[in-house]
Amino acid sequence: MATAMVEAAIFQGLSWNPLADLRELFAYPFMVNALEAGTIVAVMGGVIGWFMVLRRQTFAGHTLSVIAFPGAAAASLAGLPLAVGYFGFCGLGALALAGIAGSRRSLSAESAAIGSLQALALALGFLFVSLYHGVLNGLDSLLFGTFLGITGRQVTVLLAVAAAAVALVAIAARPLFFASVDGDVARARGVPVRALGFGFLLVLGLSVAETSQITGALLVFALLVTPAATAHQLTPRPGLGIALSVTLALAVTWLGLALAYFSIYPVGFYVTSLSFGLYLLVRVSRALASRRRTTGRLALEAA
Amino acid sequence: MSRLGALAPRAKPAGAATSTAVAFDRAAARLGGRTIWSDVSLTVAEGDFVAVLGPNGAGKSTLINAILGLLPLAAGTASVLGRPPGDSKGLIGYLPQRRSFDTGTRIRGVDLVRLGLDGARWGVPLPGLPSHKRDAARVGEVIELVGAIGYARQPIGELSGGEQQRLLIAQALVRRPKLLLLDEPLDSLDLPNQAAVAALVRRICEEEYVAVLLVAHDINPILGYLDRVVYLAGGNAIEGAPQEVITSETLTRLYGAPIEVLRASDGRLVVVGQPEAPFVHGDRHG
């Protein structure tokens, strides 16, 4: 029934009256739920993503998002809510990654082990989907996200988990920052560097599980990595960087949801394209600015 | 004339009794079942500038880790600032051996220095609190002390090795430590920067009255600024004034192999015959 309503809305398209269009966005409960869920996920992804990029753990984050896919597939196979699969598998995945990080000495051995885990997760996901041959059209929303049919109860769960994760990161903010940029000194000062690394992976797992429910397993990067990486490019100040990361994640989520509502293309595509466009813009303008500085200096030296 | 002779006696703060910053008594360290050094006894007085010298693999960084309490002693006893190692973390400034921050590190020097002050504290820093202003003032003070005002607000990855090293020393100093442990701070610096950082450490030693243990490869850039040296070699250690320790007789005894210390005309010391880099004859004649 909800789908029929959505299709009716989609076929109306834009009225090109901004106020009317904005009012229409909030007219349907499913859209209000999607906007609420998107807002929660964007705030959480902005904060946690900033630390993930700082710690250079984007590969671990990506692996967790791939692990979310068999989680969701297994949940639909077992007839459980998708959220159970997302949180369960991402939590277990974070434990596995923490175990790998704890036991391996060299970085290359660690990334090889994480890569193997990633391949296994994809294979498992495909197996579960094959076993569940009933509704295969659910596959693309597992992988690439959907904003349809988010219930009020789901929003409440998202809010509770996000609030807990952001609160944990806020409490550990300074020691986590210290351990991330200057581990040896932090350890000598009595900061529990290993425990923080372990805890952060768990929070990252929760965050990926949440983000997957909006953007799909494969497009988690659009909210978790790209806004954070853009913020790191824009400012080296930690407080300002986190605020920017959250702002950018919110902007691309809201805009992506609105665009998806008024068009026939999926929300994951818009969120990803928008955040990638922003990242590209910042990288290019920074590269141009630094080239201008260098040529200016060369001209000065030549004079 | 030797540069050692030019060393002026240092003023101590009035009323400060000389006490020991670090004392090891017949201490031994083992790593992975291998004894790194044993029977090491040494004393570092408060406010002393001490160099830790020795060939690669002699256990210089191991000594630092033992003082920090990160590596328990296999034998003997140690006291650091009057307590067992590891019990006075807040009173020790530590600069680990490291290469440097790469250009991708988007962290400002001033934030890194500040982490030295409040990085172990939980919770989010609130800009309005008086403690926040006090901390910011102290961070500004040490950045001025090491002469890094000009570049402390730039991302540290974009700075030169010498500039990074000054900021890292500021980070180690920011909590007003009684003991400063610097692991190879002169490594990867060019000669003028080595001399400048050595002079800076000497000035800190005097102005802040801190005991400094500085691990170094080469004694020459710091020779003129030192009070004492600890020389680690052959699983053992000798401690004393530089002119007593860096001699042919003492080092020959320590290494258990013939060592010659030569003095160049400009006062630089050259240690010849260290077993770590033996001259290998080709076997064509043999």
Side-chain angles (χ1 to χ4, degrees):
Chain A
M1 193 191 79
T3 322
M5 243 161 46
V6 178
E7 271 166 13
I10 284 167
F11 287 124
Q12 274 171 13
L14 271 176
S15 69
W16 299 105
N17 173 350
L19 260 181
D21 286 337
L22 206 60
R23 210 175 305 121
E24 200 195 315
L25 266 185
F26 295 99
Y28 297 101
F30 81 88
M31 200 57 206
V32 174
N33 283 348
L35 282 165
E36 283 173 357
T39 304
I40 294 164
V41 166
V43 171
M44 179 187 193
V47 174
I48 308 239
W50 188 86
F51 279 101
M52 184 183 71
V53 171
L54 178 76
R55 296 171 62 82
R56 303 178 184 199
Q57 283 185 319
T58 46
F59 188 46
H62 178 61
T63 302
L64 284 170
S65 73
V66 170
I67 292 171
F69 163 55
S76 27
L77 188 62
L80 292 166
L82 287 183
V84 174
Y86 280 124
F87 286 122
F89 269 61
C90 286
L92 285 175
L95 288 177
L97 288 182
I100 289 171
S103 66
R104 307 279 163 157
R105 283 270 154 217
S106 83
L107 210 64
S108 59
E110 188 181 323
S111 64
I114 294 176
S116 315
L117 191 67
Q118 199 178 89
L120 175 73
L122 267 179
L124 272 181
F126 191 61
L127 172 72
F128 293 148
V129 168
S130 310
L131 287 173
Y132 186 76
H133 23 213
V135 191
L136 242 166
N137 59 1
L139 176 62
D140 54 339
S141 64
L142 289 188
L143 290 176
F144 299 108
T146 177
F147 62 105
L148 304 180
I150 295 170
T151 63
R153 243 188 87 193
Q154 261 176 297
V155 173
T156 316
V157 173
L158 286 178
L159 181 63
V161 173
V166 171
L168 280 175
V169 168
I171 290 168
R174 273 180 294 185
L176 183 62
F177 185 49
F178 201 3
S180 304
V181 299
D182 208 2
D184 288 340
V185 179
R187 193 175 301 114
R189 275 285 307 284
V191 172
V193 174
R194 280 187 65 125
L196 279 172
F198 188 81
F200 181 73
L201 271 174
L202 275 180
V203 168
L204 184 61
L206 288 182
S207 179
V208 167
E210 295 240 320
T211 314
S212 301
Q213 297 178 43
I214 300 294
T215 62
L218 292 186
L219 299 182
V220 163
F221 265 31
L223 279 185
L224 207 56
V225 182
T226 322
T230 312
H232 275 281
Q233 286 296 318
L234 283 171
T235 174
R237 304 169 75 112
L240 188 64
I242 294 172
L244 256 174
S245 176
V246 169
T247 311
L248 293 174
L250 277 174
V252 297
T253 307
W254 287 338
L255 213 57
L257 278 169
L259 288 170
Y261 177 84
F262 287 113
S263 74
I264 53 168
Y265 304 111
V267 63
F269 164 74
Y270 285 115
V271 173
T272 312
S273 308
L274 286 170
S275 46
F276 178 71
L278 267 174
Y279 179 70
L280 203 64
L281 195 72
V282 168
R283 278 315 284 249
V284 168
S285 56
R286 266 180 55 85
L288 286 179
S290 92
R291 178 182 293 178
R292 205 174 306 131
R293 266 204 307 278
T294 319
T295 45
R297 207 163 37 227
L298 285 176
L300 259 172
E301 277 163 13
Chain B
M1 200 199 117
S2 106
R3 282 158 70 183
L4 293 176
L7 219 150
R10 261 180 321 115
K12 255 196 314 173
T18 307
S19 54
T20 47
V22 180
F24 273 47
D25 186 29
R26 305 179 65 82
R30 290 172 69 80
L31 259 182
R34 195 168 67 94
T35 300
I36 307 294
W37 34 254
S38 59
D39 210 17
V40 168
S41 300
L42 57 93
T43 319
V44 177
E46 266 185 1
D48 262 0
F49 184 1
V50 180
V52 180
L53 303 166
N56 283 333
K60 294 176 301 225
S61 296
T62 307
L63 180 68
I64 299 290
N65 283 336
I67 293 172
L68 282 168
L70 296 175
L71 180 80
L73 288 178
T77 56
S79 107
V80 177
L81 300 168
R83 292 189 216 160
D87 278 13
S88 33
K89 287 195 180 85
L91 295 170
I92 300 177
Y94 169 52
L95 194 155
Q97 186 177 11
R98 67 175 114 199
R99 279 163 212 92
S100 56
F101 294 94
D102 64 59
T103 47
T105 309
R106 307 268 306 151
I107 301 296
R108 296 185 306 170
V110 62
D111 292 322
L112 202 72
V113 174
R114 193 177 181 115
L115 280 176
L117 194 63
D118 66 2
R121 252 179 258 159
W122 302 93
V124 178
L126 297 170
L129 295 177
S131 69
H132 194 272
K133 287 200 187 103
R134 212 165 44 234
D135 289 354
R138 174 64 187 157
V139 169
E141 219 172 277
V142 282
I143 286 176
E144 194 178 339
L145 178 70
V146 301
I149 295 178
Y151 46 82
R153 288 178 187 277
Q154 287 174 34
I156 196 159
E158 294 170 11
L159 303 179
S160 74
E163 289 167 342
Q164 291 189 9
Q165 212 55 265
R166 282 165 197 270
L167 284 164
L168 291 171
I169 291 173
Q171 185 203 44
L173 271 177
V174 72
R175 286 170 64 87
R176 305 177 201 278
K178 304 292 284 173
L179 173 63
L180 202 53
L181 305 174
L182 310 174
D183 200 347
E184 306 231 8
L186 308 181
D187 221 32
S188 78
L189 297 186
D190 55 17
L191 280 173
N193 261 314
Q194 288 192 4
V197 170
L200 169 68
V201 171
R202 177 79 214 184
R203 192 157 57 82
I204 287 163
C205 216
E206 286 168 15
E207 286 176 12
E208 307 263 309
Y209 203 61
V210 193
V212 178
L213 256 92
L214 184 149
V215 176
H217 243 81
D218 179 11
I219 190 179
N220 289 303
I222 43 176
L223 189 54
Y225 306 100
L226 287 177
D227 291 313
R228 301 173 79 74
V229 299
V230 173
Y231 206 109
L232 285 161
N236 222 309
I238 289 182
E239 184 231 348
Q243 63 268 43
E244 295 162 11
V245 174
I246 318 256
T247 62
S248 301
E249 303 80 61
T250 314
L251 291 188
T252 298
R253 192 151 39 83
L254 181 64
Y255 276 99
I259 301 286
E260 210 176 331
V261 177
L262 308 173
R263 187 179 287 275
S265 56
D266 62 354
R268 282 187 307 123
L269 295 172
V270 182
V271 179
V272 183
Q274 294 185 41
E276 64 161 341
F279 180 73
V280 183
H281 289 277
D283 54 2
R284 200 188 300 169
H285 305 291

